[in-house]
Structures are given as C-alpha cells and as structure tokens.
C-alpha cells in the first residue's frame, strides 16, 4: 500500500485516524492531511512551489532547528509552509534526511 498523500510505501499497519480519510506513511503526512481539505488534491511539487523562499539578501539571523519525524518531501513542504506563516520568518528550508529546518 502507498500513502494517500505522498505515494511512499506505508508501514504495516499504516498510520490512520478515524477523523482523517486515508492511510499514511508517517505522522507528518497524517498531520498534513488533517490540515488540508482534500489530501488527494495535494502533490509534492504543488506544496513545495507554494512555499515562499524569501529574498537571498534579507538581513536577519539564521537558525537551525531539529525536527524529528519528517519522512518525505511532503513533510518538508508542510514544515516550510508553517514556518513562513510565522511573523519574522522570511524563509524556511526543511530537510527530512537531516531532520533539520533552516
């Protein structure tokens, strides 16, 4: 079986929630599905393209945070979109292999 959101293989048994339709590969995809209206209408490229990257020459500080539980590119895009909605955050770059967000 594959994840309803990102099409990666799901564990046995897959992650589910009675309030969220579908079966998911990780907690990140389940939480993204809980947040969006129709998880089958979201794809990685669309989610990633919707994240504002911010200007390269912006003044400010850079912080690296540890984020455990990211499993796929959908998780990265969701973390980035949530971070950039916060006041004072101009850009965010998440990496599920390193479990960090910049």
């Amino acid at each position: 079986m594959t994840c309803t959101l990102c099409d990666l293989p799901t564990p046995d048994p897959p992650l589910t929630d009675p309030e969220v339709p579908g079966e998911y590969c990780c907690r990140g995809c389940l939480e993204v599905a809980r947040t969006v209206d129709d998880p089958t209408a979201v794809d990685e490229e669309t989610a990633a393209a919707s994240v504002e990257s911010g200007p390269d020459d912006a003044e400010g500080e850079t912080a690296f945070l540890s984020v455990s539980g990211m499993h796929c590119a959908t998780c990265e895009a969701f973390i980035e979109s949530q971070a950039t909605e916060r006041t004072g955050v101009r850009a965010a770059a998440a990496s599920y292999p390193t479990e960090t967000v910049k």
Side-chain angles (χ1 to χ4, degrees), residues 79-98:
I79 295 291
E80 291 168 357
S81 69
Q82 293 299 298
T84 56
E85 287 182 4
R86 303 296 182 258
T87 302
V89 177
R90 291 191 176 124
S95 169
Y96 74 87
T98 62

Side-chain angles (χ1 to χ4, degrees), residues 66-78:
S66 175
V67 179
S68 62
M70 286 190 287
H71 183 72
C72 61
T74 304
C75 296
E76 288 176 337
F78 183 68

Side-chain angles (χ1 to χ4, degrees), residues 11-95:
D12 186 25
L15 280 96
T16 59
D17 185 309
E19 297 176 4
V20 181
E23 297 178 337
Y24 302 92
C25 64
C26 65
R27 188 90 181 139
C29 283
L30 176 62
E31 292 306 317
V32 170
R34 185 185 316 278
T35 304
V36 297
D37 290 332
D38 181 7
T40 60
V42 177
D43 64 80
E44 291 175 25
E45 291 176 20
T46 302
S50 70
V51 177
E52 183 178 334
S53 62
D56 290 334
D57 61 348
E59 290 187 31
E61 295 182 21
T62 301
F64 290 86
L65 306 172
S66 175
V67 179
S68 62
M70 286 190 287
H71 183 72
C72 61
T74 304
C75 296
E76 288 176 337
F78 183 68
I79 295 291
E80 291 168 357
S81 69
Q82 293 299 298
T84 56
E85 287 182 4
R86 303 296 182 258
T87 302
V89 177
R90 291 191 176 124
S95 169

